Amino acid sequence: MERVDRCVVLVDAGYLLGAAASLLAGEPARSRITVDHAALIQGLRERAEADTEQRLLRIYWFDGAPDRVPQPEHRRLRVMSRVTVRLGALTRSDGRWAQKGVDAAMHAELTELARNRACSDVVLVTGDGDLLPGLMSAKEHGVAVHLWAVQAADGDYNQSEDLVAEADERRVLDRAWITKAVRAKENGGICAPQPRPRPEIAAILSAPLPEAALAASAERASEAQAAAARAPAPPRPDTAPDEPAPAHGPKGVPTPKDLAALRAAAGAPAAAATQSAPVPSATLRWSSDRGWADRSPLGEPPETASLPTLAQVTTAEQRWADREEDITTVGGDPFEVGQVFARRWMERLPETVPLQKLSTMYPRIPHRIDGELLRYAARFGLLAHKDDQIDEHDRYAIRAGFWREIDITAAVEHAPAPE
């Protein structure tokens, strides 16, 4: 079998991006950097063809993912020209994430390429000594092995010495090369802009119920205990009385029903006295946590309860374009995901829809729209996987992005016309 004069690049993404984060941000957490994957792939291709003096056959990108489910970056990479993505598992142990199966997959691919004489040169971007047997096997099949390292933050090796010793050629991807496609995030990794001033969510969550509500809660609890003491026997399941609703939701947080009852009890004079600081009708977490979706008995305003969902105002052509944008452009940052969803939704709403009413519901998103938003966010690997729930911090960021886009659009619509 004649050998093909081509080069192949095998990239251990965990090594490449972890070492880049250490170099640029001072720690190996990939959350501390942002990556232009298109520029990175183009840089790898140009560097490989220059170093090996062979045309590129393919770049293999090896990475870990929870349950081997492709993350946003993987979906973008696998639709790029001459890029193949191979995923191992990503598991959490003792509070740390670890890749499983990535080294074995790289070893198998390297050995198979060499055995089938699919290329003349292989570029390995890795530091793991577990690849040593595969490297030696490739050399025995007449393949030239080029080992690339990312410049170490401390100036020392960040690769196995055995790999370094066995490789035919070794190159270092220095800081100047890395920063063409990778940069450190500012503000300690928080890349999303802060939304305009709104009622502080943390304050809403930590604020105790007014004394009137606490008194009502104690009164209901006393009545329930007295009724239970008078009951001669436990009621049959088919005749069980309704339980009184607790005044507090989980973790001592008032529910929307509690706040609705407080507003009704307070009456118009109290409402007028607190116009400068209205009691919020809900918080961002009520519509996402299981068991916390209890809505006010008054229901949502008709104007917002009847708002169409994004799916209802999206054509088949737009749905296809949305998926393309999700794969190639949307990065998967929770704040960005919320913005993208809100932008698409508002652009497609009929002109007769009163969006002004929506802003008055902050921080609560209408129930149907909120559920659709969370399902959209789940496409980007934001599920915690343990309970198929989105992390609480991510839920806040998703909704903050949604409201930021609403604010921007409202500001543009209400801006005075130039004279």
Side-chain angles (χ1 to χ4, degrees), residues 73 83 86 143 150 206 208 257 285 302 307 341 367 380 386:
E73 64 184 271
V83 176
R86 297 280 188 259
V143 174
V150 175
S206 61
K257 184 180 295 184
R285 67 200 282 182
L307 285 173
F341 179 93
H367 188 69
F380 294 89
K386 181 180 179 182

Side-chain angles (χ1 to χ4, degrees), residues 338-388:
Q339 284 189 300
V340 171
F341 179 93
R343 171 175 53 79
R344 291 175 182 169
W345 182 59
M346 287 187 296
E347 287 175 351
R348 298 167 191 174
L349 284 176
E351 294 182 359
T352 56
V353 172
L355 275 181
Q356 297 83 357
K357 187 68 175 179
L358 178 67
S359 186
T360 64
M361 293 186 64
Y362 178 89
R364 179 167 188 151
I365 300 173
H367 188 69
R368 293 162 65 238
I369 307 302
D370 182 69
E372 189 180 36
L373 171 60
L374 291 179
R375 289 192 296 274
Y376 172 67
R379 299 179 190 172
F380 294 89
L382 296 176
L383 290 177
H385 291 279
K386 181 180 179 182
D387 299 311
D388 285 336

Side-chain angles (χ1 to χ4, degrees), residues 16-30 32-36 40 150-154 173-186:
L16 173 59
L17 300 182
S22 294
L23 179 64
L24 302 180
E27 59 179 275
R30 288 161 62 170
R32 297 294 306 278
I33 57 175
T34 56
V35 183
D36 183 341
L40 181 58
V150 175
Q151 179 181 339
D154 55 7
L173 305 176
D174 59 17
R175 179 186 292 268
W177 189 92
I178 291 293
T179 52
K180 292 178 181 179
V182 183
R183 66 179 178 86
K185 290 180 181 178
E186 300 177 356

